[in-house]
């Protein structure tokens, strides 16, 4: 039985006072019947670690350099993230693939760098609306995942996958539970064939998950939790989503 996982992706939001309030509320609403984590902007890792450490809540980053160290201005290495106790690093989010031109190979290298430092990469895959309408959804997500599987080889079973249809992110237009389930099933089959561990690996859904649609999404057999954007910034909404997974 896979334990559900709900991860808040704060993206580039927050302020020190707002974060303190949000984290205190998340801590105060424990226990959850699922694993819960927040992926915060780098400057907030220290205070997030302080607020969450000692309990069962986890934290992480929203990206991770593919490089170990060196002249890479603006990059943050997995070694540095590990120093801050990060359990997770999101890699390959569609906003980075689109705005920062990240390739499948670079995403795979980032996943490898994270794993090498004991950080679980949350590997995002997802199709654009144009790709869905062209009937290319399966092809696109399998290609994105295959690059990571190929690079990680025998370690591929250690990742978390997040299916985030680009057209559902921040749009209020959620994939239907059936649409999401269909893609998750494809991804699980791919993971199982490649790693032999597909049945125990977690595949999260992301894209306009809200308090009122989380339960039906999480009830699908291959949806093992969520990667939550906007709703992770509001304590009551995020807590309700975590409860829906518990
Ligand atoms: P929203 O929940 O705001 O649609 O964002 C989803 C997402 O991109 C999480 O990584």
């Amino acid at each position: 039985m896979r334990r559900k996982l709900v991860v808040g992706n704060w993206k580039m939001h927050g302020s020190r006072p707002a974060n303190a309030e949000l984290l205190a509320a998340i801590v105060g609403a424990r226990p959850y019947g699922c694993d819960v984590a927040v992926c915060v902007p780098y400057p907030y890792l220290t205070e997030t670690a302080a607020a969450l450490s000692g309990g069962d809540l986890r934290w992480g980053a929203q990206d991770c350099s593919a490089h170990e160290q060196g002249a890479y201005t603006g990059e943050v290495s997995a070694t540095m993230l590990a120093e801050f106790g990060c359990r997770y690093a999101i890699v390959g989010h569609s906003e980075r693939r689109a705005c920062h031109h990240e390739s499948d190979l670079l995403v795979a290298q980032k996943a490898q760098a994270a794993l090498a430092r004991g950080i679980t990469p949350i590997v995002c895959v997802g199709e654009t609306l144009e790709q869905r309408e062209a009937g290319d959804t399966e092809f696109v997500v399998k290609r994105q995942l295959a690059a990571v599987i190929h690079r990680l080889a025998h370690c591929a079973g250690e990742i978390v996958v997040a299916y985030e249809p680009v057209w559902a992110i921040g749009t209020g237009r959620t994939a239907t539970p059936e649409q999401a389930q269909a893609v998750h099933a494809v991804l699980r089959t791919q993971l199982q064939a490649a790693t032999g561990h597909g049945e125990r690996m977690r595949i999260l859904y992301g894209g306009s998950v809200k308090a009122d649609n989380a339960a039906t999404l999480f009830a699908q057999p291959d949806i093992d939790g969520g990667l939550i954007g906007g709703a992770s910034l509001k304590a009551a909404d995020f807590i309700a989503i975590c409860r829906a997974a518990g």
Side-chain angles (χ1 to χ4, degrees):
M1 184 65 183
R2 297 179 296 270
R3 187 172 162 84
K4 287 207 169 26
L5 169 64
V6 176
V7 180
N9 174 9
W10 289 5
K11 307 193 180 185
M12 200 171 73
H13 293 288
S15 67
R16 303 187 78 177
N19 302 344
E21 209 173 301
L22 178 55
L23 292 168
I26 295 169
V27 170
R30 283 181 311 170
Y32 301 102
C34 64
D35 292 337
V36 174
V38 289
C39 289
V40 306
Y42 297 130
Y44 299 142
L45 280 172
T46 304
E47 63 208 51
T48 301
L52 302 186
S53 64
D56 53 358
L57 303 175
R58 305 288 173 222
W59 58 94
Q62 300 169 15
D63 188 27
C64 155
S65 178
H67 304 287
E68 178 57 32
Q69 62 172 5
Y72 302 103
T73 302
E75 298 252 300
V76 175
S77 73
T79 306
M80 295 169 186
L81 296 181
E83 283 191 292
F84 288 87
C86 287
R87 166 65 68 96
Y88 298 104
I90 298 170
V91 297
H93 193 282
S94 62
E95 287 151 15
R96 294 205 63 86
R97 290 181 190 263
C99 306
H100 300 269
H101 311 292
E102 293 194 3
S103 66
D104 291 344
L105 175 61
L106 180 62
V107 172
Q109 290 168 330
K110 290 181 171 196
Q112 187 177 33
L115 265 187
R117 291 288 167 259
I119 295 169
T120 301
I122 300 175
V123 177
C124 299
V125 299
E127 81 288 2
T128 62
L129 187 56
E130 198 181 18
Q131 290 165 333
R132 173 162 282 266
E133 286 174 347
D136 288 338
T137 297
E138 217 176 285
F139 170 78
V140 170
V141 298
K142 285 171 81 174
R143 187 204 72 216
Q144 291 171 332
L145 185 56
V148 175
I149 289 171
H150 179 72
R151 183 95 197 169
L152 298 183
H154 66 279
C155 295
E158 303 307 314
I159 67 173
V160 169
V161 175
Y163 169 54
E164 297 208 313
V166 178
W167 47 271
I169 295 176
T171 59
R173 185 178 165 189
T174 322
T176 65
E178 295 73 24
Q179 282 174 321
Q181 164 58 28
V183 178
H184 281 232
V186 165
L187 294 171
R188 191 172 311 284
T189 301
Q190 184 181 9
L191 290 168
Q192 179 62 24
T195 70
H197 299 298
E199 288 305 320
R200 69 154 174 74
M201 293 177 69
R202 295 192 282 197
I203 308 175
L204 313 182
Y205 170 78
S208 297
V209 178
K210 306 290 177 206
D212 60 2
N213 62 21
T216 45
L217 286 161
F218 298 163
Q220 299 301 308
D222 288 298
I223 299 184
D224 307 314
L227 184 54
I228 319 301
S232 74
L233 301 169
K234 297 178 208 120
D237 291 1
F238 187 63
I239 291 164
I241 292 168
C242 295
R243 295 235 184 282

